[in-house]
Amino acid sequence: MPTQAPPNALLYASFIEEAYSVYENNPNDINPSLAAYGDFLNGYTLMYNLQMKDFFIDEKPYAYYGFIARNIATNEVIVAIRGTADATEWWDDFHFSLIPFYQGWGKVEEGFYDIYKTLKLVVPSTGESVMLLSDTITNDSWLQGTPAATLTITGHSLGASLATLYAASWAYNSPTPLQNTAIYTYASPKVGDSSFADQYNHFVTTGYRIYNKPDIVPHFPLNPLYEAVGTGYEVDSWNKAARSIPCFHALTTYMYMLGANASILGKCALS
């Protein structure tokens, strides 16, 4: 386990925080414009909004899950996926049934995969749907033939599991381990079995799984068939933020532990 925080871990968490903010400001806007992001994306091109469907008893309409943006100066592409926002999504988080992923890649958690398979990339200005994710995804289809200098995929909580599946799909279609690609997950539950973890770790060579020691979510599912992926980096908020299950899991707690100012903690600050 590394003793130093993964490079730019706080920066990439801030992209997820922005996805949360955009969603919370207007949950019904599933294809927000650049204006909805305020000044945050200055220096970036907003390429796509991410939409996925939740499931609770039956299938729900599409919801906003995050965005893809390109850094104009460095040509880095960021994929940011928000985490759980309501009880509907918690249902998806905790199905815990293993189902097959791609051929030769073992099995993954059913609830995460159900959401992930509905992934749609939507152009903010036109509402045009660029791609509905399927088993036939190609590496550069969503980039429309314009490759990124680097690609960073980041997510928190449920979004971390979806980011893991996104990276795995990308890797599945690559003949060699991914180059110039990094995955940052925060508070991720375990996504699949040992076969999935083995394939993921072979092809996704730069993957950081950041977890808070008292946060229960990274320990789930407790089923021994599940195995965590990537390089784990532990933080411990026990004596530095409020001691509650929501605060242990909150992205703001993770960000504070990675170096953000204490003001970010809000209701999770020590009283």
Side-chain angles (χ1 to χ4, degrees):
M1 183 185 302
T3 57
Q4 297 293 322
N8 299 314
L10 179 57
L11 170 66
Y12 294 124
S14 72
F15 285 91
I16 308 167
E17 183 187 33
E18 182 66 11
Y20 273 118
S21 177
V22 169
Y23 176 77
E24 290 165 0
N25 286 339
N26 190 351
N28 295 320
D29 186 0
I30 65 172
N31 190 28
S33 67
L34 178 61
Y37 294 87
D39 294 333
F40 181 82
L41 288 181
N42 279 351
Y44 287 82
T45 298
L46 178 61
M47 299 173 66
Y48 305 112
N49 287 309
L50 304 180
Q51 298 176 3
M52 285 177 264
K53 292 183 178 181
D54 302 324
F55 296 83
F56 182 74
I57 308 301
D58 56 5
E59 188 172 311
K60 299 300 180 182
Y62 271 102
Y64 168 85
Y65 264 88
F67 61 91
I68 298 176
R70 183 192 296 274
N71 186 304
I72 296 169
T74 66
N75 204 29
E76 179 185 20
V77 170
I78 305 288
V79 180
I81 308 176
R82 68 168 176 84
T84 306
D86 59 32
T88 298
E89 292 166 12
W90 277 114
W91 173 269
D92 295 300
D93 277 16
F94 291 101
H95 280 179
F96 295 159
S97 297
L98 283 165
I99 61 173
F101 193 51
Y102 297 125
Q103 184 176 0
W105 273 65
K107 296 181 178 181
V108 294
E109 198 275 334
E110 181 181 10
F112 303 151
Y113 199 27
D114 281 346
I115 298 176
Y116 173 71
K117 287 186 293 185
T118 69
L119 174 62
K120 185 192 299 185
L121 281 63
V122 181
V123 178
S125 58
T126 66
E128 176 188 1
S129 176
V130 173
M131 182 190 74
L132 181 64
L133 190 70
S134 71
D135 288 353
T136 60
I137 178 177
T138 57
N139 280 354
D140 62 356
S141 60
W142 61 272
L143 285 173
Q144 298 180 313
T146 305
T150 58
L151 172 67
T152 303
I153 305 170
T154 184
H156 170 255
S157 187
L158 170 59
S161 65
L162 299 170
T164 298
L165 291 172
Y166 194 108
S169 290
W170 187 273
Y172 177 79
N173 289 280
S174 298
T176 59
L178 296 181
Q179 301 296 318
N180 301 318
T181 302
I183 317 301
Y184 285 75
T185 64
Y186 308 79
S188 179
K190 300 170 188 175
V191 176
D193 63 10
S194 59
S195 295
F196 173 81
D198 287 345
Q199 291 293 324
Y200 182 95
N201 293 338
H202 175 72
F203 284 95
V204 183
T205 56
T206 307
Y208 304 106
R209 177 178 47 84
I210 301 164
Y211 64 95
N212 187 13
K213 185 176 181 179
D215 183 4
I216 63 172
V217 172
H219 301 286
F220 279 89
L222 297 177
N223 186 326
L225 294 177
Y226 283 83
E227 185 172 318
V229 302
T231 300
Y233 175 73
E234 182 183 275
V235 297
D236 188 352
S237 71
W238 185 257
N239 290 318
K240 297 183 179 180
R243 296 174 184 173
S244 69
I245 290 175
C247 288
F248 291 148
H249 188 61
L251 179 62
T252 51
T253 300
Y254 276 76
M255 293 178 70
Y256 174 58
M257 297 305 300
L258 291 167
N261 188 286
S263 63
I264 199 171
L265 285 171
K267 64 181 180 181
C268 289
L270 282 173
S271 56

